[in-house]
Amino acid sequence: ETVSIVFFTETWRHGDSFYDKILRNNGGKQEGGLHTLCLLDIKVHELDFDEMIQTGKPVYLPPTFMKASLAASQLLEIEERRQDGACSPDRPAIALARVGAEDQVIVSGSLERLSKDDVDERLGAPLHSLIVCGELHDLEREFFEHFHIDKDKEN
């Protein structure tokens, strides 16, 4: 089941129904379970209410696209609160950018690793997506290792 991860705000941090779907997919276990494709939030055509009050005209904020590291961080925040194991820090995950385009980028690592800012630098421009992995079969494990974000540092 695919999920959409929405931006948290300073006053709203508990919208986590997408976490329940990830938990249903992977069962909160490291071994077994299904992968979950996470589509990341975008904000376009959002009104800037402060500007609107000053000008009396509708003014729109620039588009905002959720980055993979923010999505991973939000999942870890929910995991810390819920402790169900669906998004534990060592859970394998894959971050993707511009899938299908000539300049697509794929990196893999633990959710903890993918929550770091350098992931977004590596991925580049939006749109980003995240896959929270369930059980990795042999071919998938090869793929995971091939695209591991720290692969070059190990050699």
Side-chain angles (χ1 to χ4, degrees):
E1 197 169 349
T2 301
V3 301
S4 295
I5 298 179
V6 297
F7 282 107
F8 286 169
T9 67
E10 296 207 13
T11 58
W12 186 80
R13 302 191 80 71
H14 296 285
D16 59 9
S17 61
F18 51 86
Y19 179 93
D20 294 324
K21 291 180 181 178
I22 295 169
L23 180 61
R24 223 178 7 256
N25 285 348
N26 70 30
K29 300 175 282 199
Q30 284 299 103
E31 298 299 320
L34 305 173
H35 309 313
T36 305
L37 172 61
C38 303
L39 304 176
L40 308 186
D41 203 1
I42 58 174
K43 291 186 179 273
V44 293
H45 212 68
E46 300 272 325
L47 286 170
D48 183 338
F49 291 106
D50 293 335
E51 278 295 312
M52 224 169 74
I53 290 169
Q54 289 180 354
T55 64
K57 300 176 187 173
V59 178
Y60 296 95
L61 295 166
T64 306
F65 303 91
M66 182 180 280
K67 296 180 178 183
S69 69
L70 179 60
S73 295
Q74 287 187 189
L75 289 173
L76 291 169
E77 182 179 326
I78 295 167
E79 181 63 41
E80 189 175 311
R81 186 173 68 245
R82 303 237 335 229
Q83 299 286 311
D84 289 322
C87 297
S88 59
D90 61 344
R91 168 73 60 186
I94 300 167
L96 311 107
R98 299 171 308 287
V99 174
E102 287 182 24
D103 65 341
Q104 78 177 11
V105 179
I106 302 169
V107 295
S108 62
S110 67
L111 269 177
E112 178 82 37
R113 178 62 183 91
L114 295 182
S115 70
K116 307 299 181 209
D117 289 337
D118 67 322
V119 170
D120 300 325
E121 292 170 23
R122 180 82 73 86
L123 291 174
L127 295 170
H128 294 185
S129 300
L130 188 69
I131 298 171
V132 178
C133 298
E135 181 174 4
L136 293 173
H137 297 284
D138 293 341
L139 189 57
E140 292 172 322
R141 177 129 337 259
E142 274 184 51
F143 173 89
F144 186 86
E145 295 304 326
H146 177 76
F147 288 102
H148 199 281
I149 190 159
D150 293 324
K151 183 175 93 172
D152 295 336
K153 292 179 184 176
E154 295 169 6
N155 296 331

